Amino acid sequence: GAGVSQSPRYKVTKRGQDVALRCDPISGHVSLYWYRQALGQGPEFLTYFNYEAQQDKSGLPNDRFSAERPEGSISTLTIQRTEQRDSAMYRCASSLEGQGRGPLHFGNGTRLTVT
Amino acid sequence: DQQVKQNSPSLSVQEGRISILNCDYTNSMFDYFLWYKKYPAEGPTFLISISSIKDKNEDGRFTVFLNKSAKHLSLHIVPSQPGDSAVYFCAASGGRDDKIIFGKGTRLHILP
């Protein structure tokens, strides 16, 4: 498809398990962003990449969270030893332009539930 | 500390009238601003943007105004239509940080 694709759409996991969330951006887009969105809140910045380089990871809550984009296209957000407070909608977005310019195109998100 | 603030959680406007959504920011380094619209169960979609070199940008029924001295921007929708009912997010970027920061959103209800 032409849009940003995220998988899985829904993920239910037990506390303590690791999860990997995948984002397939629009082809040719330079920047890729990860956000977390709680119900009734705006997207909360986690990290972003320009091509394969992770430019800013200041929004990652702690060292259980990590992200990679090894070939400058698909990205994976990994959460180790999940906790209930990690439950949220995780959104990926890509942009044709880097450096915070150009509109972000969002995927439909992965709803993570930690039980 | 919230760098992008949308102080009105919700707003109701009569169909056909003007909707004005407000946004304030605290980081004086921000120089690029965007508005997004979100329907339930979908990701946010881009509406309109403005660079700090301008004070107004218009696209059809949507106009964004930027007041740099007040660190304030607003989105005007005129005339408002039923399909405009959604959550609207203000976002900003600039300076040394290229990350795009979002506000908490304002839910707009267009009344028949």
Side-chain angles (χ1 to χ4, degrees):
Chain A
V4 176
S5 177
Q6 290 187 247
S7 61
R9 187 73 191 269
Y10 302 94
K11 177 71 178 177
V12 180
T13 190
K14 290 188 187 308
R15 183 164 50 99
Q17 297 293 305
D18 298 350
V19 294
L21 311 180
R22 175 186 164 119
C23 174
D24 199 343
I26 294 172
S27 178
H29 275 200
V30 169
S31 297
L32 185 148
Y33 289 72
W34 282 100
Y35 289 88
R36 179 168 69 175
Q37 187 169 16
L39 202 60
Q41 300 292 313
E44 173 195 5
F45 171 81
L46 295 177
T47 184
Y48 89 97
F49 296 82
N50 280 341
Y51 300 104
E52 72 282 359
Q54 191 170 22
Q55 298 293 322
D56 188 322
K57 56 180 181 178
S58 63
L60 295 177
N62 50 60
D63 60 8
R64 295 187 296 106
F65 287 71
S66 62
E68 61 174 11
R69 193 187 184 196
E71 296 177 3
S73 178
I74 293 168
S75 177
T76 303
L77 177 70
T78 301
I79 309 173
Q80 295 179 309
R81 306 180 302 282
T82 52
E83 300 178 3
Q84 285 187 322
R85 60 179 170 153
D86 300 333
S87 296
M89 175 70 82
Y90 288 83
R91 295 197 186 276
C92 173
S94 68
S95 173
L96 184 61
E97 299 180 48
Q99 299 182 332
R101 298 297 181 264
L104 295 178
H105 299 264
F106 280 86
N108 283 330
T110 294
R111 168 78 63 190
L112 174 66
T113 303
V114 182
T115 61
Chain B
D1 62 333
Q2 258 190 291
Q3 297 188 66
V4 178
K5 300 178 184 179
Q6 293 178 258
N7 292 319
S8 298
S10 67
L11 175 68
S12 295
V13 175
Q14 207 74 36
E15 182 180 353
R17 305 295 289 268
I18 183 171
S19 295
I20 300 176
L21 298 124
N22 292 304
C23 177
D24 298 294
Y25 60 96
T26 58
N27 188 339
S28 58
M29 299 300 290
F30 285 151
D31 60 3
Y32 185 67
F33 305 88
L34 311 95
W35 283 94
Y36 285 80
K37 176 179 180 178
K38 184 184 174 308
Y39 292 121
E42 294 182 10
T45 55
F46 170 74
L47 261 182
I48 192 169
S49 64
I50 188 167
S51 164
S52 62
I53 61 173
K54 293 184 169 184
D55 54 20
K56 176 183 173 181
N57 190 25
E58 191 172 350
D59 183 2
R61 295 185 299 113
F62 301 92
T63 303
V64 56
F65 295 92
L66 176 63
N67 182 334
K68 290 185 286 294
S69 61
K71 295 195 185 66
H72 178 83
L73 64 155
S74 60
L75 174 68
H76 292 212
I77 307 172
V78 56
S80 300
Q81 298 176 353
D84 296 331
S85 293
V87 177
Y88 289 79
F89 294 103
C90 171
S93 69
R96 294 176 62 183
D97 287 330
D98 299 333
K99 60 193 180 194
I100 300 175
I101 303 297
F102 284 77
K104 291 189 173 182
T106 296
R107 183 176 296 278
L108 177 64
H109 300 271
I110 303 303
L111 307 170

